[in-house]
Amino acid sequence: MDRFRAETYLPLTPVAFEVLLALADGSRHGYSILQEVDARSGGAVSLHAGTLYRVLARLLEQQLIEELDAPAGQANEDERRRYYGLTARGVAVARAEAARLESQLAAARARRLLSEVDA
Amino acid sequence: MRPSFRPWLAERIFDLALLAYPRAFRRRFGDEMRDDFRRAAARQVTAGTLVTVIEEGLKERAAAVARWSFWPNHQPHLYEPSGRHAMFWDSVRADVRYTIRQAIQAPLYTVLAVGALALGIGANSAIFTVVQGVLLKPLPYDDPGRLVTIWSHNTAENRPENPISPANFVDLRDEARSFAEVEGYFSFVTNTQIVLDGPPEISVTSYVSPGMFTLLGRTAVLGRALRDGDADGDIVISHGYWQRRFGGDPTVIDRPVTLDGQPATIVGVMPPDFAFPYRGMLGPTGFTRSIDVDAWATMLLTGPRMVDSAGRFIRNVHYLGAVGRLKPGVSVAQARAGVAAIASRLEQAYPDTNKGWTTTLTPLHEQVVGAVRPALLVLAAGVGVILLMACVNVANLVLARGVGRQKELAVRAALGAGRKRLAQQALTESLLLSVAGGIAGLLVVRWGVQALVALAPANLPRVQEVAPDATVLLVTLAMALVTGTIVGVVPAFFATRADVRPALQESSRGSVGSRSRHRMRAALVVTELALAVVLSVGAGLLLRSFATVMTIDPGFRPDNLLTLQMSIPYRLTTPDARRAYYAEWFERLDAIPGVVAVGGTTRIPLGSTSVTTSVQVQGKDVPVSDLPEVEFRRAMHDYFEAMGIPIKRGRGFSAEDGPNAPAVVIVNEATVRRVFGNEDPIGQHIRTGPNPSGPWSTVVGVIGDIRHAGLETPPSPELYVNYLQNPPVAPFIALRTAGDPAALAERVRTEARAFDSTLAIYDIRTMQQIRAASVAERRFLLLLIGAFGALALVLAAVGVYGVMALMVSERTQEMGVRLALGAAPSAVLGMVVRQAATLAAIGVTAGVLAAIVLTPLLTSQLFGVRALDPFTFATVAALLVSIATLAALVPARRAMRVDPLDALRCE
């Protein structure tokens, strides 16, 4: 088995990164991920039931996320759902992608495409 | 609606949409997706959402197929493919390996099958390439669907597609509101004298208004194209001419040359795929040379050809073509109505010249390819029949093969192979054979297209644009798959009917189930015979049409006639100088040994365009707007004698009809009928044009009618003027020879060089060659359909032979028994032949019925023979029955000679 190198997973598709972001502060079920992405991006990233689970399938295959049990104390309907959370790999890849995006932004600022105020 | 119903319905619809996803995906994520849908139902759920779900589902399926496909891979995947999925691909791989093994073990069968399919598929693809290049590909202009050609239509004499006069062109261009642009061109191409760096050469030139290239939306590949504001003398050359004459030299731009005696400059070179005008855009013409335009020169609306002495545009001489680009949103119908209205107004305003004329439009694509479409479709149908016959032959081959493999099939069935599995194997084999045939067929396509383009008539439109491309490749592949499926259906059907127990028995008598197999083979052969009848009837009708056309009397004697075109040097500016020049020229030609008579004309029959003029007859008061039109030509020296045109009344031209003698003309019989109302025209006075004043000419002779525009076109009224009274600058010369006319060509060239090295002589052809070129399209179609018909006869004969041979070998025992019991050998032969004759009778009857339905579609290509011609039908029927009977004779004779002891022993 090859050593795990986060860079090989970059660049992530915008949708995949949004999902990893949504899971960064704790595990969620599918619908909650949808809501979170919609709220955070203000509707800019279009994610709906059709695309979400395909992305989840790919992320599961790449072992960036894993299936978890529902945390204790959830509402009734949420109890039955599957929960997803980041694996250690997932965290590493999310960090690597964030770093990549940050360096891009820094370059944009340096070339005055993005002013300090707008950033 | 009850409040709980709608969500329930929506959920059911969502469930249906989820079916787009693979089963395993649904199992894993389906519950979550349904739950999400329920929660989201509070918000608006639109049809768009469902579409997205279905779309994503199909994408997931596609991704799954890509991953677990033909070659196993080791990428991690979330959900395992279903067992069925893996099994299916395993079985496909096994079938392929099996087919390849079988093919190697039976090379003859494989070669025959693949060969037949390669020929069938390849031939079809080759014809499709031609159809695509000529009919389907858009013209090489920008947005060509918005381009139309504009014609004058003489409703009084029912002559559509006439060129337009300069005045009408200007009025149309200025007043028509349907067009973004209208540009004009000469409705004929001219052979201009071009001086580059030596003696004058001939270049084929098309004169176009300077804005034409902008209208067509094409730019030059070197330098620039003509544009509005260009002066007289700016010319653009074609890519082919640039390569041929200048070797692709880039310094050709801005090089000064002389065109028709005037200084000119080459300003650009057009791309290799650019062509203008196409032959269909030249109006009705007998022009049989291919049009490879070398150069485009500016046509300006100035000069004596465009403007009369009073400064007005000329309205009564029609020689311009026009192309228009429709404004966005304007339909062809609207534009048609628009120009018709303008023409109507012009008819009111200028009754002398425009009465009886209107204006019509034709979409440009239709104008260019419309005439040739029926013939190409006939070709496509013919070659399609060949492919069907090839399929039938291969199906027969596969069936015959199946006979030998029955035991093996039975074993497989006994070991548990389901019917679907056996059918899948048979289908895989056929598909593989067909795909191999398709790939081999690509070679056939390449050679076939080369051969077709070489054989094609010179004026087949767009033949230079015919080349195999990606579309052809895709079509070939599609054909291979369809063929494979058709061919595979038959053996697949039989594979599922393998009767297990009898086949497994050690001593099976012949082959079990052979009766139904034999019936199937007989049915296939009957189909082949029927198809062969249809194709042969078509070929027979085309052959009779061609023969009829070739026996049409053209009105002159086409044998032993050598023709050429010439262009006199520009220094001969006066009629006297020209007369003297021609006098010496004809004297030299007359002196050549082997030359019987020499003459010339401005328009050679079957090989040139025509100009028409209106005529008035003295004493007949016809209103100017109703003057009849005749074709105007000049005759030179002993023209009628050289051509063998009979003088029916009066006399021909003589040397006395010189410039100072009274003006004389000679007319043909059609003119006598149309213009003189069948009265004797000799001695009557006639003049050309609508002018109320001017000199009259006297009619001194009447010649027989000749075919000018084509062998199939009835003769038109003609009027000849003697060249001495108006010498032309670029006439055709006709020489009647004692022996083979082609043998004198070199001698004539030498004579011309000796006479004047600046004289341009070109296009030296015998009249037989011109006549052959005039029927080249008909001949091309006949050649191909005839080849298909011959091929069909061979395939049918082979099919009958195969079935009868198999029957004889299967029934060897029976024959042996009969012979042992005392039957005469001739009786056994008779039995076989009778069987074959029955098959033939059924097949031919079916074919005749099919032909009765289909041949009326051929009518547009026939001449002088009806589509349901009984003679052709009867001949083809008899021919096929005889071929089938003869094909059966070989195996029949073998049956006759069966040794009864051997046959009975072979248990």
Side-chain angles (χ1 to χ4, degrees):
Chain A
M1 181 76 119
D2 290 340
R3 262 176 38 104
F4 166 70
R5 285 168 57 237
E7 307 78 56
T8 58
Y9 291 82
L10 303 187
L12 291 177
T13 65
V15 174
F17 189 51
E18 287 290 345
V19 170
L20 292 182
L21 273 184
L23 294 175
D25 57 354
S27 60
R28 295 170 184 274
H29 59 68
Y31 193 67
S32 165
I33 298 177
L34 274 178
Q35 287 177 310
E36 169 70 16
V37 169
D38 197 47
R40 206 203 63 73
S41 72
V45 176
S46 97
L47 193 61
H48 33 71
T51 7
L52 172 67
Y53 289 95
R54 292 191 63 208
V55 174
L56 286 181
R58 300 292 94 78
L59 291 173
L60 280 168
E61 286 168 9
Q62 293 172 310
Q63 296 179 320
L64 299 181
I65 62 177
E66 60 187 348
E67 225 181 284
L68 300 167
D69 292 325
Q74 294 299 314
N76 234 351
E77 48 184 47
D78 283 352
E79 210 174 51
R80 289 196 303 271
R81 299 274 321 226
R82 286 197 183 104
Y83 276 70
Y84 299 97
L86 293 178
T87 58
R89 281 193 184 188
V91 170
V93 168
R95 280 212 181 100
E97 176 73 2
R100 185 188 74 87
L101 288 172
E102 169 128 70
S103 83
Q104 272 190 341
L105 281 182
R109 264 184 228 118
R111 290 160 180 71
R112 301 187 191 282
L113 291 172
L114 203 57
S115 74
E116 302 285 346
V117 180
D118 288 334
Chain B
M1 249 195 254
R2 286 175 291 144
S4 56
F5 178 72
R6 230 153 155 243
W8 179 88
L9 178 67
E11 275 182 42
R12 295 287 82 74
I13 296 179
F14 186 75
D15 280 341
L16 274 176
L18 276 185
L19 287 177
Y21 286 85
R23 183 183 302 221
F25 192 95
R26 287 201 308 271
R27 251 186 276 130
R28 173 68 179 78
F29 292 110
D31 287 331
E32 291 168 84
M33 293 177 82
R34 272 186 277 267
D35 198 41
D36 284 356
F37 181 75
R38 243 174 268 127
R39 294 199 195 197
R43 300 195 315 256
Q44 186 82 358
V45 170
T46 62
T49 323
L50 284 174
V51 166
T52 324
V53 167
I54 295 176
E55 196 186 345
E56 291 293 325
L58 293 174
K59 280 196 224 168
E60 184 67 19
R61 270 192 196 266
V65 166
R67 272 190 282 164
W68 309 309
S69 63
F70 202 65
W71 292 277
N73 59 50
H74 302 286
Q75 278 177 21
H77 38 256
L78 178 73
Y79 48 104
E80 293 297 321
S82 66
R84 274 192 343 229
H85 187 107
M87 252 178 62
F88 171 69
W89 285 107
D90 280 340
S91 68
V92 167
R93 277 193 288 267
D95 283 341
V96 168
R97 279 197 297 268
Y98 178 76
T99 306
I100 295 177
R101 252 203 329 269
Q102 290 287 316
I104 296 176
Q105 279 173 5
L108 180 64
Y109 155 79
T110 313
V111 164
L112 280 179
V114 171
L117 289 170
L119 273 177
I121 297 175
N124 270 275
S125 285
I127 298 283
F128 174 76
T129 311
V130 172
V131 167
Q132 197 221 20
V134 173
L135 291 183
L136 299 177
K137 267 211 291 226
L139 293 173
Y141 309 130
D142 198 27
D143 201 6
R146 306 294 297 162
L147 295 174
V148 297
T149 46
I150 308 173
W151 296 110
S152 285
H153 176 122
N154 188 326
T155 48
E157 293 182 28
N158 196 21
R159 285 185 305 146
E161 288 195 357
N162 273 310
I164 308 178
S165 60
N168 287 339
F169 169 74
V170 169
D171 285 335
L172 257 164
R173 189 193 58 185
D174 293 341
E175 293 180 32
R177 275 187 281 279
S178 323
F179 299 106
E181 294 166 78
V182 175
E183 299 290 340
Y185 60 99
F186 280 7
S187 66
F188 45 85
V189 291
T190 28
N191 297 306
T192 50
Q193 287 192 37
I194 189 167
V195 178
L196 299 164
D197 46 22
E201 307 159 25
I202 297 293
S203 80
V204 178
T205 306
S206 165
Y207 284 83
V208 299
S209 50
M212 179 63 83
F213 291 95
T214 323
L215 178 143
L216 296 176
R218 294 302 303 265
T219 52
V221 83
L222 189 68
R224 63 169 180 85
L226 296 177
R227 53 179 182 232
D228 274 321
D230 271 345
D232 214 359
D234 286 341
I235 62 175
V236 169
I237 58 177
S238 72
H239 201 267
Y241 188 59
W242 181 49
Q243 294 291 332
R244 225 174 37 240
R245 184 60 189 76
F246 300 96
D249 179 5
T251 69
V252 79
I253 302 296
D254 287 333
R255 198 191 285 198
V257 300
T258 312
L259 193 73
D260 271 355
Q262 304 296 321
T265 324
I266 300 176
V267 300
V269 177
M270 293 307 287
D273 69 325
F274 179 77
F276 183 91
Y278 287 96
R279 184 170 180 250
M281 298 165 68
L282 294 188
T285 171
F287 199 53
T288 54
R289 281 187 73 206
S290 72
I291 305 176
D292 255 335
V293 171
D294 297 324
W296 292 272
T298 51
M299 172 190 100
L300 298 174
L301 293 169
T302 55
R305 283 163 124 173
M306 298 279 179
V307 177
D308 65 15
S309 46
R312 289 185 305 245
F313 284 113
I314 292 174
R315 204 174 283 277
N316 66 324
V317 186
H318 314 267
Y319 62 99
L320 296 183
V323 177
R325 180 176 283 284
L326 295 173
K327 278 195 187 136
V330 175
S331 73
V332 173
Q334 287 172 314
R336 241 185 221 129
V339 298
I342 296 175
S344 173
R345 183 192 78 72
L346 291 175
E347 212 181 346
Q348 309 281 337
Y350 306 100
D352 287 352
T353 50
N354 282 34
K355 177 154 169 236
W357 291 86
T358 182
T359 309
T360 57
L361 293 182
T362 311
L364 190 61
H365 192 260
E366 180 65 28
Q367 185 73 44
V368 174
V369 303
V372 81
R373 186 185 293 120
L376 280 181
L377 291 180
V378 166
L379 266 183
V383 80
V385 169
I386 292 289
L387 182 59
L388 276 176
M389 293 186 76
C391 286
V392 167
N393 262 328
V394 173
N396 250 334
L397 263 178
V398 175
L399 259 187
R401 199 91 200 301
V403 167
R405 284 200 260 165
Q406 252 196 310
K407 266 222 171 109
E408 174 222 315
L409 274 179
V411 169
R412 282 175 141 213
L415 288 176
R419 291 167 54 156
K420 262 178 40 175
R421 183 74 188 84
L422 294 173
Q424 177 189 307
Q425 190 272 320
L427 208 55
T428 311
E429 176 171 345
S430 310
L431 279 173
L432 269 179
L433 279 178
S434 293
V435 168
I439 294 175
L442 288 177
L443 269 178
V444 176
V445 170
R446 232 190 86 203
W447 293 330
V449 169
Q450 279 174 357
L452 281 173
V453 167
L455 280 175
N459 39 34
L460 181 70
R462 309 184 68 189
V463 69
Q464 62 270 43
E465 297 174 46
V466 167
D469 64 0
T471 319
V472 169
L473 216 65
L474 280 173
V475 166
T476 311
L477 183 64
M479 249 191 269
L481 292 175
V482 168
T483 309
T485 316
I486 296 178
V487 169
V489 157
V490 166
F493 174 69
F494 272 94
T496 64
R497 293 180 55 191
D499 220 354
V500 175
R501 213 170 24 92
L504 282 176
Q505 284 171 357
E506 203 42 58
S507 60
S508 41
R509 186 171 296 222
S511 24
V512 183
S514 69
R515 199 172 300 161
S516 65
R517 208 172 277 266
H518 181 71
R519 264 205 298 267
M520 175 57 87
R521 294 200 75 188
L524 287 176
V525 166
V526 161
T527 316
E528 262 196 300
L529 285 168
L531 290 172
V533 165
V534 169
L535 211 44
S536 303
V537 165
L541 290 172
L542 287 175
L543 183 63
R544 286 194 65 182
S545 302
F546 185 76
T548 312
V549 167
M550 289 308 277
T551 58
I552 292 177
D553 179 12
F556 55 91
R557 289 192 1 243
D559 54 305
N560 287 354
L561 200 54
L562 184 68
T563 70
L564 56 97
Q565 217 178 345
M566 59 184 280
S567 210
I568 59 177
Y570 272 93
R571 61 171 195 276
L572 302 167
T573 47
T574 65
D576 278 332
R578 293 175 186 171
R579 276 189 280 267
Y581 193 81
Y582 283 127
E584 190 187 338
W585 173 236
F586 283 128
E587 200 181 305
R588 281 179 173 255
L589 289 178
D590 271 326
I592 297 179
V595 168
V596 171
V598 179
T601 178
T602 44
R603 310 276 162 197
I604 194 91
L606 301 182
S608 67
T609 54
S610 268
V611 286
T612 62
T613 178
S614 53
V615 288
Q616 312 169 39
V617 176
Q618 194 176 42
K620 286 198 200 310
D621 257 326
V622 177
V624 167
S625 51
D626 292 337
L627 289 178
E629 300 247 333
V630 301
E631 295 189 358
F632 180 80
R633 319 198 196 292
R634 279 172 254 184
M636 306 173 77
H637 205 56
D638 298 323
Y639 177 64
F640 301 121
E641 191 188 325
M643 292 290 292
I645 300 176
I647 300 181
K648 295 290 178 85
R649 264 183 269 181
R651 63 171 180 84
F653 292 126
S654 68
E656 275 90 56
D657 299 314
N660 304 313
V664 294
V665 297
I666 291 180
V667 298
N668 69 350
E669 288 172 315
T671 311
V672 172
R673 288 192 297 271
R674 177 85 74 78
V675 176
F676 290 94
N678 270 325
E679 299 166 7
D680 185 11
I682 308 282
Q684 294 213 36
H685 294 134
I686 193 172
R687 69 178 168 213
T688 57
N691 300 319
S693 64
W696 293 97
S697 304
T698 314
V699 179
V700 295
V702 177
I703 54 164
D705 288 338
I706 62 172
R707 306 259 164 170
H708 181 95
L711 287 172
E712 301 168 41
T713 316
S716 308
E718 291 177 330
L719 180 102
Y720 288 84
V721 163
N722 191 12
Y723 81 112
L724 288 175
Q725 299 180 333
N726 192 353
V729 295
F732 293 86
I733 304 294
L735 301 106
R736 177 154 297 281
T737 60
D740 177 24
L744 280 180
E746 198 48 49
R747 180 64 207 272
V748 170
R749 251 187 234 113
T750 324
E751 200 62 47
R753 265 196 300 271
F755 170 52
D756 180 3
S757 61
T758 64
L759 169 63
I761 295 264
Y762 53 98
D763 223 15
I764 304 182
R765 301 192 275 173
T766 66
M767 180 49 81
Q768 298 286 32
Q769 285 172 321
I770 295 182
R771 184 167 72 147
S774 76
V775 293
E777 278 159 359
R778 190 173 277 288
R779 184 189 306 109
F780 180 63
L781 187 63
L782 174 65
L783 206 68
L784 288 177
I785 296 286
F788 296 158
L791 188 58
L793 291 177
V794 167
L795 285 174
V798 165
V800 168
Y801 168 81
V803 161
M804 302 319 298
L806 190 70
M807 190 204 95
V808 164
S809 71
E810 282 177 353
R811 292 164 68 173
T812 315
Q813 273 189 324
E814 180 196 330
M815 313 263 174
V817 167
R818 283 180 189 252
L819 287 171
L821 288 179
S826 56
V828 172
L829 177 117
M831 185 183 81
V832 176
V833 171
R834 257 201 314 275
Q835 280 240 316
T838 319
L839 273 183
I842 301 175
V844 167
T845 313
V848 164
L849 288 174
I852 288 179
V853 168
L854 293 174
T855 43
L857 296 171
L858 202 54
T859 316
S860 62
Q861 303 301 311
L862 299 179
F863 183 87
V865 66
R866 279 193 339 239
L868 299 179
D869 176 47
F871 177 72
T872 315
F873 274 76
T875 317
V876 166
L879 183 66
L880 265 156
V881 168
S882 346
I883 288 181
T885 319
L886 280 171
L889 264 181
V890 175
R893 285 184 59 189
R894 222 182 323 130
M896 203 171 75
R897 297 211 209 97
V898 164
D899 183 355
L901 285 177
D902 269 338
L904 288 172
R905 197 177 305 144
C906 185
E907 183 74 17

